[in-house]
Amino acid sequence: PAALQGPTTYSCYAGECGQSSLVARALQWRFDTDISFINSGGVRGAGWSAGNVHMSDVFAMFPFSNNPCQGTITGLRVFQIYSHALDNSAFDTRFTSLGVDLLQSAGVRIEYVLQSSGGVGAKIVSFEVYNKTTAQYEPLQRLRYYTFASNDFLCAVHGVYSSMLDSSSAYRGESTNAKASSETLTTISADFLSAITPYTPILSNYYVSVPLSDVESGSRSYLSYVTGAGTCADNQLYDAGVATCVDCP
């Protein structure tokens, strides 16, 4: 596996990168999901030059032999997952312990505001999910169920992400299979490349930076899908099963 060193190794910590986008697209393809995401630290190296890609090249991209996981989660859960990812990321190519938490994805498009120059933490101002039926990006819906694919590190090992994807903390109707199959992300990525040869690298620009001045001027505002019992209107009840205020019957 590629060593965790060198400036190109950390390109995925700064935002979307080609090799991780390939893996995310491969997961989405393999399991036919709405979205997919992996941790930025789960893929190493600088990618490949145009030309033939060998199985040894694919193996060298992965420092660990991760298996896929998949499931169904609410838009609220999707927002919480990505809120953590952006709130703890510096969008910097330098190695930081937080850089690995930035998610590499397929099927989403997010606009964010970095809270301070050179600092850590970004807030979401727009979140869209690609609708394969309409072939359009559409706003994330709080109580809609979205299918996802990821890796077993995020589903079962990483403290924050695994806690949000664990069945004990699931909102009503959510489900996660911590190990979807005995395949590895290596073989899934290789199959994906074989199925769509020649593969043309695509950067979807799913992380888009918005100036802080847009929020300060009031032209944009931060998204917040999180509500508590104390936030409900007089004609609403709090449904803890989906952490949402609903109209009284």
Side-chain angles (χ1 to χ4, degrees):
L4 186 59
Q5 60 185 12
T8 57
T9 302
Y10 308 124
S11 61
C12 298
Y13 290 15
E16 180 183 9
C17 63
Q19 60 269 45
S20 291
S21 289
L22 161 65
V23 179
R25 292 179 65 203
L27 281 169
Q28 188 183 37
W29 165 81
R30 172 65 179 83
F31 295 102
D32 191 25
T33 58
D34 295 313
I35 65 174
S36 63
F37 48 85
I38 63 171
N39 52 303
S40 289
V43 175
R44 307 281 167 85
W48 315 301
S49 301
N52 293 331
V53 176
H54 302 281
M55 193 65 195
S56 58
D57 297 321
V58 181
F59 269 107
M61 186 169 63
F62 293 97
F64 311 106
S65 182
N66 289 119
N67 300 107
C69 66
Q70 65 178 132
T72 302
I73 51 180
T74 59
L76 172 59
R77 182 70 72 193
V78 173
F79 181 80
Q80 290 172 326
I81 289 171
Y82 278 90
S83 288
H84 170 79
L86 272 71
D87 196 39
N88 290 279
S89 298
F91 289 91
D92 195 324
T93 56
R94 294 172 299 176
F95 175 76
T96 67
S97 60
L98 293 173
V100 296
D101 277 8
L102 183 65
L103 297 178
Q104 301 293 326
S105 309
V108 303
R109 187 166 61 190
I110 299 168
E111 292 183 319
Y112 69 91
V113 172
L114 194 62
Q115 295 303 285
S116 62
S117 177
V120 173
K123 302 296 184 184
I124 298 172
V125 296
S126 175
F127 198 126
E128 296 177 314
V129 177
Y130 187 74
N131 185 320
K132 288 181 282 189
T133 301
T134 63
Q136 299 287 331
Y137 279 94
E138 300 174 353
L140 179 73
Q141 297 181 37
R142 177 189 181 84
L143 295 184
R144 177 179 169 179
Y145 292 100
Y146 295 91
T147 55
F148 79 92
S150 185
N151 61 24
D152 56 352
F153 173 72
L154 291 184
C155 283
V157 179
H158 187 289
V160 177
Y161 292 122
S162 60
S163 66
M164 287 192 280
L165 294 170
D166 186 81
S167 59
S168 63
S169 61
Y171 294 125
R172 188 169 57 247
E174 292 184 335
S175 63
T176 300
N177 183 348
K179 187 175 180 180
S181 74
S182 59
E183 297 177 286
T184 64
L185 269 62
T186 306
T187 57
I188 292 173
S189 299
D191 289 347
F192 177 63
L193 287 170
S194 297
I196 59 171
T197 299
Y199 173 72
T200 301
I202 298 175
L203 291 181
S204 304
N205 296 317
Y206 52 75
Y207 285 131
V208 179
S209 178
V210 173
L212 178 60
S213 58
D214 284 7
V215 174
E216 293 174 335
S217 68
S219 62
R220 304 292 296 272
S221 59
Y222 298 127
L223 285 183
S224 179
Y225 283 66
V226 180
T227 59
T231 64
C232 298
D234 292 340
N235 62 340
Q236 292 181 318
L237 297 174
Y238 184 69
D239 185 345
V242 286
T244 301
C245 295
V246 297
D247 292 338
C248 294

PDB file of all heavy atoms in Angstrom, residues 9-22:
ATOM      1  N   THR A   9      -0.373  12.561  -1.262  1.00  0.00           N
ATOM      2  CA  THR A   9      -1.131  11.632  -0.433  1.00  0.00           C
ATOM      3  C   THR A   9      -2.314  12.319   0.228  1.00  0.00           C
ATOM      4  O   THR A   9      -3.359  11.725   0.433  1.00  0.00           O
ATOM      5  CB  THR A   9      -0.224  11.019   0.648  1.00  0.00           C
ATOM      6  OG1 THR A   9       0.871  10.365   0.007  1.00  0.00           O
ATOM      7  CG2 THR A   9      -0.987  10.007   1.485  1.00  0.00           C
ATOM      8  N   TYR A  10      -2.155  13.591   0.553  1.00  0.00           N
ATOM      9  CA  TYR A  10      -3.175  14.288   1.315  1.00  0.00           C
ATOM     10  C   TYR A  10      -4.116  15.129   0.454  1.00  0.00           C
ATOM     11  O   TYR A  10      -4.868  15.944   0.984  1.00  0.00           O
ATOM     12  CB  TYR A  10      -2.501  15.194   2.358  1.00  0.00           C
ATOM     13  CG  TYR A  10      -1.493  14.473   3.199  1.00  0.00           C
ATOM     14  CD1 TYR A  10      -0.182  14.920   3.283  1.00  0.00           C
ATOM     15  CD2 TYR A  10      -1.852  13.332   3.912  1.00  0.00           C
ATOM     16  CE1 TYR A  10       0.751  14.252   4.058  1.00  0.00           C
ATOM     17  CE2 TYR A  10      -0.930  12.658   4.681  1.00  0.00           C
ATOM     18  CZ  TYR A  10       0.373  13.112   4.758  1.00  0.00           C
ATOM     19  OH  TYR A  10       1.289  12.450   5.519  1.00  0.00           O
ATOM     20  N   SER A  11      -4.100  14.944  -0.848  1.00  0.00           N
ATOM     21  CA  SER A  11      -4.963  15.746  -1.707  1.00  0.00           C
ATOM     22  C   SER A  11      -6.436  15.528  -1.371  1.00  0.00           C
ATOM     23  O   SER A  11      -7.255  16.433  -1.517  1.00  0.00           O
ATOM     24  CB  SER A  11      -4.702  15.415  -3.177  1.00  0.00           C
ATOM     25  OG  SER A  11      -4.984  14.049  -3.452  1.00  0.00           O
ATOM     26  N   CYS A  12      -6.782  14.333  -0.890  1.00  0.00           N
ATOM     27  CA  CYS A  12      -8.174  14.039  -0.552  1.00  0.00           C
ATOM     28  C   CYS A  12      -8.627  14.761   0.716  1.00  0.00           C
ATOM     29  O   CYS A  12      -9.829  14.855   0.977  1.00  0.00           O
ATOM     30  CB  CYS A  12      -8.374  12.539  -0.382  1.00  0.00           C
ATOM     31  SG  CYS A  12      -8.035  11.572  -1.867  1.00  0.00           S
ATOM     32  N   TYR A  13      -7.671  15.254   1.509  1.00  0.00           N
ATOM     33  CA  TYR A  13      -8.031  15.987   2.718  1.00  0.00           C
ATOM     34  C   TYR A  13      -8.516  17.397   2.395  1.00  0.00           C
ATOM     35  O   TYR A  13      -9.149  18.042   3.225  1.00  0.00           O
ATOM     36  CB  TYR A  13      -6.827  16.102   3.652  1.00  0.00           C
ATOM     37  CG  TYR A  13      -6.393  14.818   4.319  1.00  0.00           C
ATOM     38  CD1 TYR A  13      -6.845  13.577   3.863  1.00  0.00           C
ATOM     39  CD2 TYR A  13      -5.531  14.839   5.398  1.00  0.00           C
ATOM     40  CE1 TYR A  13      -6.439  12.407   4.464  1.00  0.00           C
ATOM     41  CE2 TYR A  13      -5.118  13.667   6.012  1.00  0.00           C
ATOM     42  CZ  TYR A  13      -5.572  12.452   5.541  1.00  0.00           C
ATOM     43  OH  TYR A  13      -5.174  11.288   6.141  1.00  0.00           O
ATOM     44  N   ALA A  14      -8.206  17.868   1.191  1.00  0.00           N
ATOM     45  CA  ALA A  14      -8.530  19.241   0.817  1.00  0.00           C
ATOM     46  C   ALA A  14      -9.866  19.353   0.088  1.00  0.00           C
ATOM     47  O   ALA A  14     -10.314  20.438  -0.224  1.00  0.00           O
ATOM     48  CB  ALA A  14      -7.421  19.819  -0.057  1.00  0.00           C
ATOM     49  N   GLY A  15     -10.509  18.227  -0.183  1.00  0.00           N
ATOM     50  CA  GLY A  15     -11.765  18.244  -0.916  1.00  0.00           C
ATOM     51  C   GLY A  15     -11.865  17.023  -1.801  1.00  0.00           C
ATOM     52  O   GLY A  15     -11.212  16.004  -1.563  1.00  0.00           O
ATOM     53  N   GLU A  16     -12.671  17.118  -2.832  1.00  0.00           N
ATOM     54  CA  GLU A  16     -12.860  15.985  -3.737  1.00  0.00           C
ATOM     55  C   GLU A  16     -11.552  15.642  -4.445  1.00  0.00           C
ATOM     56  O   GLU A  16     -10.811  16.521  -4.873  1.00  0.00           O
ATOM     57  CB  GLU A  16     -13.926  16.346  -4.782  1.00  0.00           C
ATOM     58  CG  GLU A  16     -14.204  15.232  -5.770  1.00  0.00           C
ATOM     59  CD  GLU A  16     -15.208  15.632  -6.839  1.00  0.00           C
ATOM     60  OE1 GLU A  16     -15.558  16.840  -6.897  1.00  0.00           O
ATOM     61  OE2 GLU A  16     -15.631  14.770  -7.613  1.00  0.00           O
ATOM     62  N   CYS A  17     -11.249  14.363  -4.572  1.00  0.00           N
ATOM     63  CA  CYS A  17     -10.052  13.931  -5.292  1.00  0.00           C
ATOM     64  C   CYS A  17     -10.403  12.754  -6.201  1.00  0.00           C
ATOM     65  O   CYS A  17     -11.340  11.997  -5.927  1.00  0.00           O
ATOM     66  CB  CYS A  17      -8.920  13.583  -4.342  1.00  0.00           C
ATOM     67  SG  CYS A  17      -9.259  12.203  -3.240  1.00  0.00           S
ATOM     68  N   GLY A  18      -9.639  12.617  -7.255  1.00  0.00           N
ATOM     69  CA  GLY A  18      -9.970  11.665  -8.309  1.00  0.00           C
ATOM     70  C   GLY A  18     -10.052  10.226  -7.862  1.00  0.00           C
ATOM     71  O   GLY A  18     -11.019   9.510  -8.186  1.00  0.00           O
ATOM     72  N   GLN A  19      -9.051   9.748  -7.098  1.00  0.00           N
ATOM     73  CA  GLN A  19      -9.033   8.337  -6.746  1.00  0.00           C
ATOM     74  C   GLN A  19     -10.159   7.964  -5.781  1.00  0.00           C
ATOM     75  O   GLN A  19     -10.775   6.899  -5.901  1.00  0.00           O
ATOM     76  CB  GLN A  19      -7.671   7.922  -6.189  1.00  0.00           C
ATOM     77  CG  GLN A  19      -7.207   8.657  -4.940  1.00  0.00           C
ATOM     78  CD  GLN A  19      -6.386   9.885  -5.243  1.00  0.00           C
ATOM     79  OE1 GLN A  19      -6.755  10.674  -6.111  1.00  0.00           O
ATOM     80  NE2 GLN A  19      -5.284  10.077  -4.521  1.00  0.00           N
ATOM     81  N   SER A  20     -10.455   8.839  -4.828  1.00  0.00           N
ATOM     82  CA  SER A  20     -11.542   8.547  -3.889  1.00  0.00           C
ATOM     83  C   SER A  20     -12.906   8.676  -4.555  1.00  0.00           C
ATOM     84  O   SER A  20     -13.837   7.944  -4.213  1.00  0.00           O
ATOM     85  CB  SER A  20     -11.460   9.474  -2.677  1.00  0.00           C
ATOM     86  OG  SER A  20     -10.336   9.163  -1.880  1.00  0.00           O
ATOM     87  N   SER A  21     -13.043   9.603  -5.504  1.00  0.00           N
ATOM     88  CA  SER A  21     -14.299   9.716  -6.246  1.00  0.00           C
ATOM     89  C   SER A  21     -14.553   8.452  -7.057  1.00  0.00           C
ATOM     90  O   SER A  21     -15.698   8.011  -7.206  1.00  0.00           O
ATOM     91  CB  SER A  21     -14.258  10.933  -7.169  1.00  0.00           C
ATOM     92  OG  SER A  21     -14.325  12.126  -6.421  1.00  0.00           O
ATOM     93  N   LEU A  22     -13.472   7.863  -7.577  1.00  0.00           N
ATOM     94  CA  LEU A  22     -13.596   6.594  -8.285  1.00  0.00           C
ATOM     95  C   LEU A  22     -14.170   5.521  -7.371  1.00  0.00           C
ATOM     96  O   LEU A  22     -15.109   4.802  -7.742  1.00  0.00           O
ATOM     97  CB  LEU A  22     -12.220   6.152  -8.801  1.00  0.00           C
ATOM     98  CG  LEU A  22     -12.044   4.679  -9.161  1.00  0.00           C
ATOM     99  CD1 LEU A  22     -12.931   4.300 -10.341  1.00  0.00           C
ATOM    100  CD2 LEU A  22     -10.589   4.350  -9.456  1.00  0.00           C
TER     101      LEU A  22
END
